[in-house]
Amino acid sequence: MALLVRLLPLALALALGPAATLAGPAKSPYQLVLQHSRLRGRQHGPNVCAVQKLIGTNKKYFTNCKQWYQRKICGKSTVISYECCPGYEKVPGEKGCPAALPLSNLYETLGVVGSTTTQLYTDRTEKLRPEMEGPGSFTIFAPSNEAWASLPAEVLDSLVSNVNIELLNALRYHMVNRRVLTDELKHGMALTSMYQNSDIQIHHYPNGIVTVNCARLLKADHHATNGVVHLIDKVISTVTNNIQQIIEIEDTFETLRAAVAASGLNTLLEGDGQFTLLAPTNEAFEKIPAETLNRILGDPEALRDLLNNHILKSAMCAEAIVAGMSVETLEGTTLEVGCSGDMLTINGKAIISNKDILATNGVIHYIDELLIPDSAKTLFELAAESDVSIAVDLFRQAGLGTHLSGNERVTLLAPLNSVFKDGTPNIDARTKNLLLNHLIKEQLASKYLYHGQTLNTLGGKKLRVFVYRNSLCIENSCIAAHDKRGRYGTLFTMDRMLTPPMGTVMDVLKGDNRFSMLVAAIQSAGLTEMLNREGVYTVFAPTNEAFQAMPPGELNKLLGNAKELANILKYHIGDEILVSGGIGSLVRLKSLQGDKLEVSSKNNVVNVNKEPVAEADIMATNGVVYAISSVLQPPAIRPQERGDELADSALEIFKQASAYSRAARTSVKLAPVYQRLLERMKH
């Protein structure tokens, strides 16, 4: 008997199946939202759900956690009301909704859930009421009374004028010949209706909203003796055309129709799947400059990217969008889809003019603006949407615009507009050459750049890539925003104008009169050859004024001692290239002398050992030079460090003495050594 008691739970679990064991079956998004609404309503009694109602409307939503705290749907304020959860009712004198609704047949259940109009139209047909009251197992997606009332008058008249054909068929299309609960309603599935086996499209979204042919499920899982009733917010109708067929028959898609045919995407749009087409109208195409439109229409790859940017990977009904969400297109870009009241928005713009046009393989929303992806744009077009318009205008003035609008594979290093706050350079031969050195000879992606990589410019220079912990720099200029990859060119937004290296460190120092004393010191110390050869150096270069600020005696002593001079100068040279954009808050840079330099940056001012730098980022082929106004001194050994060294020596002597003391007891020869160690310990 005891064994039977222990085995009974296991037998029961096996009988119920794996879904009933342990934590139970995974809940659907709808069930999770309903559960959250129950939790928010439980203080009002058993089986009470918190419902968010849009102010000024009859629209109600079960609430998820995010909506509960924001108290908004599509940006509009809501009020919280508390109602009986689906399947329960109030009992006079008792708190909450303690009683389960009595089970009755489908016809009577329609009245209970608020679909009395569906009941009324069922009565008008000769055949349907007996089915709803008789034996069997059915599911009915019952339109609410408001849904019937919102039908256009001509549609409703055509239904009620022929009740035993049109109305009967319409009602049968809302029915399925078996019981289907919400946990079975999966995203993208199709249910076979009782009207000519036509499909009903189901979408079950992560936010808990379920749609039936894009009609929102209002109240679900109302059980009946012969099936289940789900209340929906629209009267649904059969869907017969695929997306391509709708494009073919709608006059407003004339340009889109031609573009789809030219791109070869018609096969996709007439095939199986569940897509969302953000379909640009003729008006949307007309808003684009003719030159841009003709360029894209004449370029098969750009055209395909353009159209793919209007196709979402899954069907997205308007009713599913209650807040902003990111969706991915077939082109690979991300669109921000949101809503403002009754209007849907794309990237913050209310450009959807007609929504929820159903097709057998998805849904269409009409849009009045073209969504051109970066991959179909020229560098000029990319720059127009970025904070680099001044730099691009310089290219135009210098006669270099063809590099930004043609089919040349290049990468543009475009400084931010803020770089030119003090004015723009005059357009001359030198400026033109400098601009050419802001164009790399290939189309790059910053994620593939690596430290030490060299890039060839149209101006004939080789530029180096420097990768730091929090920045990615090309020579003295660092990338300030994500790249934009166009049809042929890529736009890198840079934090300053580029200054290509013009010679070695020694060439830079010799070419600047501020460093004549430093050049002489480097020559005296024998460091000229090192700073002329290939390498990676960061040189903090004291100006003539820095040397002259030293006491004369100290300066003469330093210049007269080649070894000490070399030591001091090496302390001014870091063993890697560190441009100002890679510094961050603090970098400890190892010098060639061995000690570390503390380099910091704050409010665009670079400091080395807490001394401000006079000029940063003077680029050389083997390093970078910073002009400084003082001669840096290596740190002296501090008393604490000296004490640590003495303590270490004393410990070592003590260890040796201890070893010798044991040996001295048995060896006459070792006794004098032991005595000498004791003397050292006294000192």
Side-chain angles (χ1 to χ4, degrees), residues 239-400:
V239 181
T240 56
N241 291 328
N242 59 46
I243 292 175
Q244 179 62 29
Q245 289 169 329
I246 294 173
I247 294 173
E248 293 288 346
I249 61 178
E250 289 292 329
D251 291 338
T252 192
F253 295 142
E254 182 181 354
T255 310
L256 175 61
R257 186 159 56 243
V260 168
S263 69
L265 280 174
N266 48 333
T267 304
L268 173 76
L269 297 180
E270 65 189 11
D272 294 335
Q274 283 291 304
F275 304 106
T276 299
L277 175 64
L278 303 171
T281 61
N282 295 336
E283 180 187 353
F285 282 99
E286 289 165 4
K287 291 179 180 179
I288 303 300
E291 182 183 353
T292 300
L293 184 58
N294 291 334
R295 176 183 61 77
I296 294 175
L297 293 177
D299 181 343
E301 185 172 333
L303 178 59
R304 192 173 186 87
D305 285 349
L306 171 71
L307 295 176
N308 278 337
N309 200 50
H310 291 76
I311 304 173
L312 308 184
K313 292 183 173 181
S314 63
M316 179 67 67
C317 295
E319 285 293 340
I321 301 167
V322 294
M325 60 194 303
S326 297
V327 293
E328 189 176 357
T329 69
L330 289 187
E331 201 275 325
T333 59
T334 299
L335 300 177
E336 294 298 323
V337 179
C339 52
S340 178
D342 291 332
M343 296 183 299
L344 289 186
T345 60
I346 305 292
N347 294 339
K349 295 181 178 181
I351 59 174
I352 294 180
S353 56
N354 195 3
K355 55 191 179 184
D356 287 347
I357 310 304
L358 277 172
T360 56
N361 56 349
V363 60
I364 298 175
H365 304 295
Y366 293 29
I367 62 171
D368 292 334
E369 279 190 25
L370 214 54
L371 305 172
I372 305 178
D374 287 350
S375 59
K377 294 176 182 176
T378 66
L379 281 170
F380 267 137
E381 291 162 353
L382 291 175
E385 302 165 358
S386 305
D387 192 21
V388 295
S389 57
I390 296 176
V392 170
D393 193 51
L394 288 175
F395 276 89
R396 187 182 285 110
Q397 293 177 39
L400 302 174

Side-chain angles (χ1 to χ4, degrees), residues 33 98 329 462:
V33 168
T329 69
K462 289 185 179 293

Side-chain angles (χ1 to χ4, degrees), residues 73-231:
I73 300 289
C74 285
K76 302 299 181 182
S77 297
T78 63
V79 292
I80 303 296
S81 61
Y82 297 92
E83 303 177 358
C84 290
C85 296
Y88 294 90
E89 64 179 353
K90 292 180 176 293
V91 173
E94 294 194 30
K95 188 177 182 181
C97 306
L101 286 170
L103 277 182
S104 54
N105 59 51
L106 280 175
Y107 177 81
E108 293 178 358
T109 303
L110 289 174
V112 173
V113 303
S115 189
T116 53
T117 306
T118 306
Q119 258 186 335
L120 173 66
Y121 289 144
T122 299
D123 277 334
R124 291 195 180 184
T125 67
E126 296 178 359
K127 300 179 181 179
L128 200 52
R129 179 169 178 175
E131 280 188 41
M132 288 191 178
E133 292 179 326
S137 182
F138 306 101
T139 296
I140 180 166
F141 296 103
S144 65
N145 295 338
E146 292 81 1
W148 286 105
S150 66
L151 274 181
E154 63 272 15
V155 174
L156 195 55
D157 288 344
S158 69
L159 293 176
V160 298
S161 64
N162 194 347
V163 292
N164 287 319
I165 297 179
E166 295 296 336
L167 184 59
L168 176 64
N169 291 341
L171 291 171
R172 282 187 177 279
Y173 182 63
H174 289 74
M175 298 178 67
V176 176
N177 196 17
R178 64 184 180 90
R179 187 189 305 264
V180 184
L181 301 176
T182 50
D183 59 358
E184 191 182 337
L185 298 178
K186 307 299 182 184
H187 191 69
M189 74 180 295
L191 294 174
T192 302
S193 76
M194 292 175 60
Y195 169 65
Q196 296 184 353
N197 292 329
S198 299
D199 283 344
I200 302 173
Q201 295 178 15
I202 304 296
H203 293 97
H204 196 149
Y205 298 95
N207 60 6
I209 288 177
V210 180
T211 61
V212 182
N213 280 17
C214 284
R216 182 167 65 93
L217 212 64
L218 301 177
K219 293 182 179 179
D221 296 339
H222 284 277
H223 291 272
T225 54
N226 56 345
V228 63
V229 176
H230 304 291
L231 190 69

